[in-house]
Amino acid sequence: MANNELRIPLIRTPGSSSFMKASFNGTNAFLGIGFLTIPYALSSGGWLSLVLFFSIAAMTFYTGLLLVRCMEVDPSILSYYDIAERAFGMKGRMIVMFMMNAEMYLIATGFLILEGDNLQKLFPEFMIKLGELTLDGKQSFVIITGLLFSALMLLTDLSMLSYISATGVFSCLVIVVSIFCVGAFDGVGFHAKGSVLLNLDTLPTAVGLYIVSFGGHPVIPSIYMSMRDSCQFSKVLVFSFILATLNYMTIAILGYLMYGDGIESEITLNLPTKVSGRVAIYTTLLIPVTRYSLLVAPIATAIEGGLSEKYKNQKPVRLLIRVALLISTVIVACVFPYYESLMAIVGSVFVVSASFLLPCLCYLKISDLNWNWNCEQMGIVGIIVFGILAGVLGTYSSIFELLT
């Protein structure tokens, strides 16, 4: 750890974020890409799966607190990478770095699929013909979206985009209100009640989608570090989780009451293209525009960090890396067009690791507890066991649905 002590300050400098700003940032982190799939998850699991939804919310709230406890043990810990390194050495840091970059890459790919699905909903007759090659509407819109994103990818300074991304919470609230208006005023109603209380066959997929909804743990250390008064962080986490959980629960119940078991993988694909439905769809289209580059930029930075000094600071090389990442995500989005399966895999593999397993394992390693099997220790072991089961079953179920 001697080399690390030279590059990391031992005394933390208080941040400048107020309680409300930190709460907003936390809510924005947890109202992520899983927002639109929650109604489909409820349809897949049945009404009783809401018990698992609230259990997952409670467990991920607690593991968020565990990450903060890890940071309080050692003032040199400033990030999730530092937590992993403090617990398991440089190998732990590298594993976490790989997993987080892979997660961000797949979520960025999911944004392209999301754009393709919703643009096809608005323009169902659209397609591109290049000689004998014909691209259907969804593939065409994925490629067009990639071309539009290329302008944002040319920016290496993302400070302005970080301000734009703060519209995430507001966008989610607009979508919820618009969906309610579709049910209340556009003739859809709230009478298509799902007939299944619990569907064991697709319950693992539902759990994977519930889990991906609470996948904001990698940013928890950053929000904690940004606060003027870090002693209030537990209240920030409570506020963020309550607001995110209420939004998720509202859109899940609204969507399931409106469309029942016939709900699509993205709730926006069910909406009529009237005023309220269009507002929800256009707002959904805005979210990837504001977040795609913010997801890909850390991956590009990590790749640049592995280059020799001769190349890592050259602008053409940096742009080439970003363009290559963009092209590869467009190709993956065209080849792998199933949004709900991709999100279930992200939840079952990467979010389970970052939000369930690693916080518990790092806390147990760093705190060096004396095992007496008290309630807290049994709870931590229970979260680890749940995470492993959810990860294995969710991954198997998602891949099985894909192949069939």
Side-chain angles (χ1 to χ4, degrees):
M1 293 294 291
N3 292 334
N4 296 328
E5 290 170 0
L6 293 176
R7 63 179 174 80
I8 299 178
L10 294 179
I11 299 176
R12 296 193 184 115
T13 302
S16 59
S17 294
S18 64
F19 172 84
M20 286 307 299
K21 184 176 181 180
S23 299
F24 178 84
N25 290 336
T27 306
N28 194 31
F30 287 103
L31 278 176
I33 193 171
F35 186 70
L36 298 176
T37 62
I38 283 291
Y40 176 80
L42 180 56
S43 173
S44 297
W47 287 108
L48 289 179
S49 69
L50 284 175
V51 175
L52 284 172
F53 169 75
F54 287 113
S55 299
I56 289 168
M59 285 187 282
T60 48
F61 168 76
Y62 181 70
T63 56
L65 293 178
L66 292 183
L67 287 177
V68 175
R69 289 190 194 176
C70 291
M71 298 182 72
E72 291 171 345
V73 168
D74 186 347
S76 69
I77 297 176
L78 305 179
S79 68
Y80 206 134
Y81 298 152
D82 295 338
I83 293 174
E85 183 176 351
R86 177 67 169 76
F88 302 108
M90 186 56 68
K91 288 183 179 179
R93 185 183 187 94
M94 296 305 295
I95 290 172
V96 169
M97 185 178 295
F98 169 78
M99 292 183 63
M100 289 188 181
N101 285 327
E103 179 184 344
M104 287 187 290
Y105 181 89
L106 291 177
I107 291 176
T109 302
F111 278 145
L112 290 169
I113 298 173
L114 188 68
E115 294 286 86
D117 285 339
N118 285 281
L119 284 169
Q120 186 182 35
K121 169 75 175 180
L122 292 173
F123 308 102
E125 303 298 325
F126 185 86
M127 65 177 61
I128 294 178
K129 291 185 177 181
L130 299 173
E132 295 184 0
L133 176 64
T134 300
L135 297 176
D136 62 29
K138 182 172 180 176
Q139 291 179 327
S140 300
F141 284 124
V142 167
I143 294 172
I144 291 171
T145 301
L147 292 174
L148 294 175
F149 283 175
S150 64
L152 297 175
M153 292 296 292
L154 297 178
L155 296 175
T156 56
D157 179 8
L158 297 176
S159 57
M160 292 187 64
L161 287 176
S162 65
Y163 286 106
I164 297 173
S165 70
T167 60
V169 175
F170 177 73
S171 298
C172 291
L173 293 175
V174 170
I175 292 171
V176 170
V177 173
S178 300
I179 289 174
F180 172 79
C181 291
V182 169
F185 307 116
D186 288 347
V188 175
F190 304 99
H191 310 297
K193 298 179 181 179
S195 57
V196 179
L197 286 178
L198 188 66
N199 190 341
L200 293 177
D201 291 337
T202 52
L203 184 61
T205 299
V207 171
L209 292 173
Y210 288 152
I211 287 173
V212 81
S213 302
F214 294 98
H217 285 61
V219 303
I220 284 179
S222 300
I223 298 173
Y224 175 78
M225 290 297 303
S226 72
M227 292 190 66
R228 280 197 300 263
D229 182 7
S230 58
C231 294
Q232 289 190 311
F233 184 77
S234 59
K235 296 179 182 178
V236 167
L237 211 56
V238 169
F239 180 91
S240 301
F241 265 83
I242 288 176
L243 189 57
T245 301
L246 287 176
N247 271 277
Y248 283 132
M249 182 182 65
T250 301
I251 194 172
I253 293 176
L254 282 176
Y256 202 29
L257 288 177
M258 289 166 63
Y259 298 107
D261 298 326
I263 198 162
E264 298 282 352
S265 59
E266 304 154 41
I267 177 86
T268 49
L269 301 182
N270 287 99
L271 302 180
T273 52
K274 297 181 181 179
V275 175
S276 299
R278 283 183 175 270
V279 169
I281 295 171
Y282 283 125
T283 306
T284 299
L285 292 172
L286 176 65
I287 294 175
V289 174
T290 61
R291 293 187 180 182
Y292 180 89
S293 293
L294 292 170
L295 285 169
V296 175
I299 307 173
T301 301
I303 296 173
E304 291 164 10
L307 299 177
S308 64
E309 293 295 332
K310 180 180 178 181
Y311 298 106
K312 66 169 53 177
N313 293 319
Q314 292 188 12
K315 192 169 184 179
V317 174
R318 300 174 68 188
L319 294 178
L320 180 62
I321 291 172
R322 284 161 171 77
V323 171
L325 286 170
L326 174 63
I327 293 173
S328 67
T329 54
V330 169
I331 293 173
V332 174
C334 289
V335 174
F336 189 98
Y338 304 106
Y339 181 79
E340 72 283 2
S341 297
L342 180 64
M343 289 302 98
I345 290 172
V346 170
S348 299
V349 178
F350 298 104
V351 179
V352 160
S353 300
S355 300
F356 286 81
L357 303 182
L358 282 171
C360 293
L361 294 174
C362 289
Y363 175 71
L364 292 176
K365 181 72 173 179
I366 292 174
S367 60
D368 196 20
L369 296 174
N370 293 321
W371 280 92
N372 54 13
W373 292 102
N374 57 33
C375 292
E376 182 179 51
Q377 292 170 352
M378 292 176 65
I380 292 174
V381 172
I383 291 173
I384 293 173
V385 172
F386 175 84
I388 293 172
L389 289 175
V392 172
L393 293 177
T395 303
Y396 172 80
S397 177
S398 301
I399 294 175
F400 180 78
E401 287 182 15
L402 251 170
L403 297 177
T404 57

